[in-house]
Amino acid sequence: MNRKKSPKLAAVLDIDSNALKMRISQLKKGKIDDLETLEYPLHLGHEVFTDGKISFESLRELSSLLHGYEDVLNGYGVTDYRAVATTALREAENRSFIIDQLKIQNGLQIEVLEDDQEKTLIYWEILNYLNKIENKRGESALICYIGAGTIGFSVYDGKQMIFSQNIPMGSLKLHDMLGNIQNMTEDFYTVVEEYLDSILGHINIPLENGKANNLILTGSGIRLIAKICGIEQADGRYELDSLRIKDLFQQIRKMPQERIGRKYNLSEETAELLYSSLSIAMKLLHYTNSATILSPEVELWDALIRQMLIAKSSGQYQDHVRVSAISCAKKISDSYHCSRAHTECVRGFSCKIFDKMKGLHGLGRRERLLLELASILHDCGHYVTVKQHLQSSFDIIKDTDIYGLTDEEMLLTAFVARYNEYDVPSHRNHTFALLSENNRLIVSKLVAIFRLSNALDKSQKQKLSDIKVRLEKDRMTISSQSDANLFLEQWAFDQCAPYFKEVFGYNPELTIKSNLL
């Protein structure tokens, strides 16, 4: 008897700054279909951006709404779902209390996405959409997500992402930060524009002439602008003429929020969102040669639902993140005048040792990526000072935005990059001691591999073009062939070998064959 297989179901609950949203979808004949979308307005963002906390009154409202959403989930029989939160909960001082109460009251484990995680998932969906547009395929683009509390800012060169930065200032947060000035001056628009200049004016686009061919903007504020301009969605996107945007901005830039609300029949809060989003969009237009702004109808839950329903999507996303992160790291390394030949040599050696020891270190593809990034960025500190270049490298890397990497991951990358043949991780380093035990273990393993790899090109002259790694009993033998003088590399390798043995229990040995003998 043939039984018809039921479609696969999944759902995403999204707690953002302005609303509680839920989407229930199914995979049917290889296509994702939506069964239900719900959205209820909340004001968590305003609370957090002005008071720093979410009130327990708002918590009770949120909990009650979630109970209702859970009833809908149960009605559809959905058991596979993710409950995520973004800026408001991420920045709330009392987020731990809120998450704990939602777990107790609703039985939900809320996943608070880091800024980089949220934006990268959205960019991934945007790139998937752009690749479907024939005349945009292969063109450079400045891709920005204007959220309530942050602006995600990435550059695509037509093949991969080459720059990424998150700015802690969004359409709602911008107004809440500067709103108290509004009653002090009639020129509030000047204050907003000067503040935006002070933030966005320092960003350098790593493209020819510093401008992209296309400007891609997403976020609720952009959809609001399109609505005000009377622009209808077509083929899953809005196309906004830049001259029309500039004209709208000139009309409202000097208006009080109340007047903007009356003119366009908007609430005061929505009028604030319109003004802030327009101000940000106007600044971003300076970074593009395009006469239009593209705004695909893309949201965070698109990427989450796709990964839940389509098995191969998660792997494709991870591959995209890795390639783009490495691309961004290379651009940053170049800007600090690091030797590309040296960093690629160290990166190649590191990956060979890491892969050969897969059964010993217990680390995965994400930790391998951190090792690669550390190899690419480890010499950045020389640009600041030769005297304290290791510490300078650490400071630069930990505060650098890399596409798809969280702040915690960049901190671990910084730790890996800061050690050479003279120094190893120690609890005497207060910052290292503050890491969790698991993260200290990850850093120690990666440092042991990185130091050996870096030692193999100590002269930065690439005397070894390739290496072979062999494990036997309690030894790891690294062999290569070269006619060059390798005394410096051998010395550095011998300095790093004891720590490697301490971490892994294997004694590293370097053997070089020479045609001169």
Side-chain angles (χ1 to χ4, degrees):
M1 178 179 177
N2 292 327
R3 292 188 178 181
K4 198 171 182 180
K5 190 176 180 180
S6 299
K8 187 177 181 180
L9 296 175
V12 171
L13 290 88
D14 182 5
I15 306 170
D16 75 7
S17 298
N18 297 308
L20 173 63
K21 301 185 290 185
M22 184 173 72
R23 173 178 168 184
I24 302 174
S25 304
Q26 67 177 356
L27 184 66
K28 194 172 183 179
K29 296 181 179 179
K31 183 182 177 183
I32 296 175
D33 290 324
D34 291 341
L35 299 177
E36 187 92 50
T37 56
L38 299 173
E39 182 170 339
Y40 193 89
L42 290 172
H43 304 286
L44 303 181
H46 263 309
E47 284 191 346
V48 173
F49 303 148
T50 54
D51 303 325
K53 298 179 181 180
I54 294 173
S55 68
F56 275 88
E57 288 76 12
S58 294
L59 169 63
R60 282 188 279 273
E61 181 184 16
L62 175 58
S63 178
S64 176
L65 289 170
L66 284 170
H67 279 303
Y69 281 22
E70 289 163 27
D71 290 340
V72 177
L73 287 175
N74 293 332
Y76 279 98
V78 177
T79 56
D80 186 15
Y81 63 87
R82 285 178 71 178
V84 300
T86 52
T87 308
L89 207 50
R90 185 167 59 232
E91 296 191 9
E93 295 172 13
N94 60 340
R95 90 181 214 181
S96 297
F97 302 141
I98 301 297
I99 293 171
D100 181 62
Q101 285 298 309
L102 291 176
K103 185 177 182 180
I104 293 170
Q105 296 177 25
N106 297 83
L108 285 176
Q109 185 64 55
I110 305 297
E111 179 184 357
V112 181
L113 297 179
E114 293 298 320
D115 212 2
D116 295 277
Q117 291 175 302
E118 175 192 1
K119 302 301 186 296
T120 307
L121 286 163
I122 294 170
Y123 298 149
W124 170 238
E125 284 299 311
I126 291 173
L127 290 179
N128 285 334
Y129 181 83
L130 282 182
N131 287 330
K132 298 175 185 176
I133 306 176
E134 190 65 37
N135 63 332
K136 298 301 178 185
R137 198 175 300 157
E139 287 193 355
S140 65
L142 171 59
I143 303 176
C144 298
Y145 173 76
I146 304 177
T150 59
I151 301 174
F153 196 94
S154 272
V155 178
Y156 179 66
D157 68 357
K159 297 178 181 178
Q160 56 206 10
M161 294 295 197
I162 59 172
F163 178 82
S164 182
Q165 198 164 85
N166 291 311
I167 303 167
M169 175 195 63
S171 52
L172 182 59
K173 192 173 186 179
L174 173 64
H175 198 277
D176 285 345
M177 286 168 56
L178 303 176
N180 59 341
I181 304 176
Q182 195 166 1
N183 297 327
M184 302 178 187
T185 175
E186 295 181 357
D187 297 334
F188 180 61
Y189 64 93
T190 303
V191 176
V192 173
E193 290 170 23
E194 287 177 349
Y195 184 76
L196 285 173
D197 278 335
S198 73
I199 302 295
L200 300 178
H202 292 287
I203 295 175
N204 294 313
I205 303 295
L207 289 171
E208 189 176 349
N209 301 322
K211 294 198 173 185
N213 292 330
N214 297 287
L215 178 59
I216 316 295
L217 300 183
T218 59
S220 57
I222 304 304
R223 292 192 291 272
L224 177 60
I225 293 170
K227 180 181 177 182
I228 296 297
C229 291
I231 298 170
E232 297 291 333
Q233 185 189 125
D235 297 323
R237 68 180 183 268
Y238 298 98
E239 290 197 23
L240 295 81
D241 182 85
S242 59
L243 292 177
R244 198 166 177 182
I245 300 302
K246 291 174 183 177
D247 182 59
L248 176 61
F249 182 64
Q250 290 302 322
Q251 290 180 41
I252 73 165
R253 67 192 290 255
K254 297 183 181 181
M255 286 186 188
Q257 308 304 313
E258 307 81 36
R259 189 176 166 193
I260 295 174
R262 289 196 302 271
K263 182 177 176 67
Y264 298 105
N265 193 28
L266 304 172
S267 67
E268 188 172 336
E269 183 178 322
T270 307
E272 292 171 1
L273 178 66
L274 173 64
Y275 175 74
S276 299
S277 299
L278 270 172
S279 301
I280 294 168
M282 288 297 297
K283 294 301 175 187
L284 296 176
L285 277 169
H286 293 300
Y287 294 105
T288 180
N289 296 314
S290 179
T292 59
I293 298 173
L294 289 181
S295 182
E297 190 69 4
V298 167
E299 293 195 46
L300 172 64
W301 59 21
D302 294 316
L304 298 176
I305 285 286
R306 185 184 305 278
Q307 290 187 16
M308 294 171 75
L309 291 178
I310 302 176
K312 66 179 182 179
S313 178
S314 184
Q316 291 171 342
Y317 172 73
Q318 291 301 328
D319 290 340
H320 161 72
V321 169
R322 178 186 173 274
V323 169
S324 295
I326 289 172
S327 175
C328 289
K330 287 179 179 179
K331 286 286 184 182
I332 293 166
S333 179
D334 289 344
S335 71
Y336 285 102
H337 304 299
C338 300
S339 166
R340 177 70 73 91
H342 169 63
T343 57
E344 283 300 290
C345 184
V346 175
R347 178 182 161 219
F349 293 161
S350 294
C351 289
K352 283 224 168 166
I353 298 172
F354 183 95
D355 292 344
K356 190 66 178 180
M357 298 186 64
K358 192 173 291 184
L360 297 172
H361 54 54
L363 303 177
R365 60 190 296 181
R366 198 67 175 184
E367 289 79 19
R368 188 182 192 271
L369 175 57
L370 302 188
L371 180 61
E372 290 186 84
L373 296 178
S375 300
I376 295 168
L377 298 168
H378 74 275
D379 266 349
C380 289
H382 280 288
Y383 185 86
V384 179
T385 174
V386 175
K387 184 179 178 182
Q388 297 287 340
H389 69 276
L390 292 173
Q391 184 61 44
S392 294
S393 291
F394 175 82
D395 292 337
I396 289 169
I397 296 168
K398 75 178 177 64
D399 291 326
T400 295
D401 280 335
I402 294 285
Y403 186 86
L405 276 291
T406 65
D407 290 344
E408 181 182 62
E409 288 173 323
M410 289 310 300
L411 177 61
L412 300 187
T413 302
F415 270 114
V416 176
R418 82 163 305 283
Y419 297 104
N420 65 3
E421 63 275 0
Y422 292 114
D423 199 9
V424 295
S426 168
H427 282 78
R428 290 191 297 272
N429 181 321
H430 178 66
T431 311
F432 178 74
L434 290 175
L435 295 176
S436 68
E437 183 177 356
N438 183 59
N439 281 342
R440 289 198 301 270
L441 191 57
I442 290 171
V443 168
S444 299
K445 291 177 180 179
L446 296 181
V447 166
I449 296 171
F450 168 74
R451 290 172 81 240
L452 278 188
S453 305
N454 196 22
L456 292 171
D457 193 40
K458 183 62 182 175
S459 65
Q460 300 202 8
K461 293 185 177 180
Q462 295 78 59
K463 297 173 187 176
L464 303 177
S465 58
D466 195 12
I467 61 170
K468 291 183 179 179
V469 184
R470 189 172 70 255
L471 297 172
E472 51 186 1
K473 294 183 179 179
D474 61 348
R475 289 188 304 165
M476 180 184 74
T477 304
I478 295 177
S479 58
S480 187
Q481 185 170 329
S482 176
D483 296 331
N485 182 324
L486 286 156
F487 282 99
L488 181 60
E489 280 72 21
Q490 184 69 64
W491 167 82
F493 187 89
D494 291 342
Q495 293 292 110
C496 298
Y499 185 71
F500 187 93
K501 184 176 182 181
E502 180 184 339
V503 173
F504 293 113
Y506 277 71
N507 188 44
E509 295 180 2
L510 178 62
T511 61
I512 305 296
K513 292 182 180 179
S514 173
N515 291 325
L516 298 179
L517 297 178

